Amino acid sequence: MHRRRRTALTLTAALLAAAPLLTACGNDAHPGAAAVVGGERIEVSALQAQVRDVRDAQEASPQAAELIKNTGQLGQVKLNSMIFDRILQKAADDAGVTVSRKEIQTTRQAAAQQSGGEDQLAAMLLQQGALTRDQIDTAIRREVLMSKLAESLGANTTTPEGQQQVLATLVKTSEELGIDVNPRYGAWDVKQVRLGETQTPWLTQVTKEQPPEQVPAGA
């Protein structure tokens, strides 16, 4: 299980970093809010704080220019994850699934060991997933919670049928919550559980196993 979760984190980071540009449209119908999920606002200021933290970390890196160039859609990517985390949490709550602080710490320690240390893990995730050190625990929690939700559903997520079972649960939860996104950031695709064309930080990344001979980038 730990091996799968470590692989999930690496794959999620790589795909999140590759999210394409979303074109803003219409007027700002959500002053001060980037999105509203289940009646709760995700403030633009909170989103901007996450983006700013990543930019600061990128600018401090020797690969600053490349990192910034490869994450031109950082605001959309971060908002996508912030929305998804709320959907996943609601689905987990409904299923009675929780994640402890100890589980997060254990998974992070294992990922750091696999990557060659905490510094190497942080550098890898900044490069591949636009994650700062302070954002890593949130990403790990997402992966562990996703894995445990699948287990609670009895879904074998190594199969298309199992993946569709989890997707159906997340779609249902997304519909129940009602996702209202500020048009400047795109539109929520309820059937794909993602913001516009951004990559989805779940499932295929969670279920793929890393071949034994491969070593994660930055290790």
Side-chain angles (χ1 to χ4, degrees):
M1 182 60 68
H2 287 165
R3 179 169 173 267
R4 175 172 295 177
R5 290 173 184 169
R6 293 197 300 272
T7 302
L9 181 60
T10 301
L11 291 168
T12 295
L15 289 176
L16 283 175
L21 176 67
L22 296 177
T23 302
C25 59
N27 296 321
D28 187 352
H30 311 274
V36 179
V37 182
E40 296 184 0
R41 293 161 59 94
I42 298 177
E43 299 293 344
V44 170
S45 58
L47 173 61
Q48 290 176 338
Q50 286 205 17
V51 172
R52 184 170 58 251
D53 288 346
V54 172
R55 290 298 186 220
D56 289 344
Q58 289 175 332
E59 289 172 359
S61 169
Q63 294 81 37
E66 179 182 358
L67 293 176
I68 293 172
K69 178 182 178 182
N70 291 338
T71 53
Q73 304 80 39
L74 188 56
Q76 286 86 353
V77 171
K78 288 299 182 184
L79 181 58
N80 184 57
S81 293
M82 293 170 80
I83 294 172
F84 180 81
D85 283 345
R86 285 157 175 76
I87 296 170
L88 177 57
Q89 185 61 60
K90 176 64 163 59
D93 289 343
D94 291 345
V97 173
T98 61
V99 174
S100 69
R101 180 63 186 167
K102 183 177 180 180
E103 286 177 294
I104 296 172
Q105 292 174 336
T106 299
T107 304
R108 180 165 180 164
Q109 289 168 358
Q113 183 176 9
Q114 185 191 38
S115 301
E118 180 70 24
D119 289 344
Q120 288 83 353
L121 176 66
M124 178 188 73
L125 294 181
L126 177 62
Q127 179 182 26
Q128 296 185 355
L131 294 170
T132 67
R133 287 178 184 268
D134 291 342
Q135 295 170 0
I136 293 175
D137 279 1
T138 298
I140 290 176
R141 185 180 187 279
R142 180 187 307 129
E143 302 304 343
V144 176
L145 192 60
M146 189 70 239
S147 179
K148 294 181 72 173
L149 174 63
E151 290 175 6
S152 75
L153 296 172
N156 178 3
T157 53
T158 63
T159 67
E161 293 79 11
Q163 294 175 11
Q164 286 301 312
Q165 184 178 350
V166 178
L167 175 60
T169 296
L170 294 173
V171 167
K172 180 176 181 291
T173 304
S174 179
E175 290 173 337
E176 290 174 350
L177 285 173
I179 314 298
D180 193 8
V181 178
N182 189 314
R184 74 171 69 177
Y185 298 106
W188 185 254
D189 185 340
V190 67
K191 297 303 181 183
Q192 296 298 318
V193 197
R194 67 185 182 189
L195 181 58
E197 295 300 319
T198 54
Q199 297 291 343
T200 310
W202 67 281
L203 206 55
T204 55
Q205 297 90 294
V206 170
T207 59
K208 288 181 181 177
E209 288 285 356
Q210 181 177 324
E213 69 275 12
Q214 289 186 354
V215 177

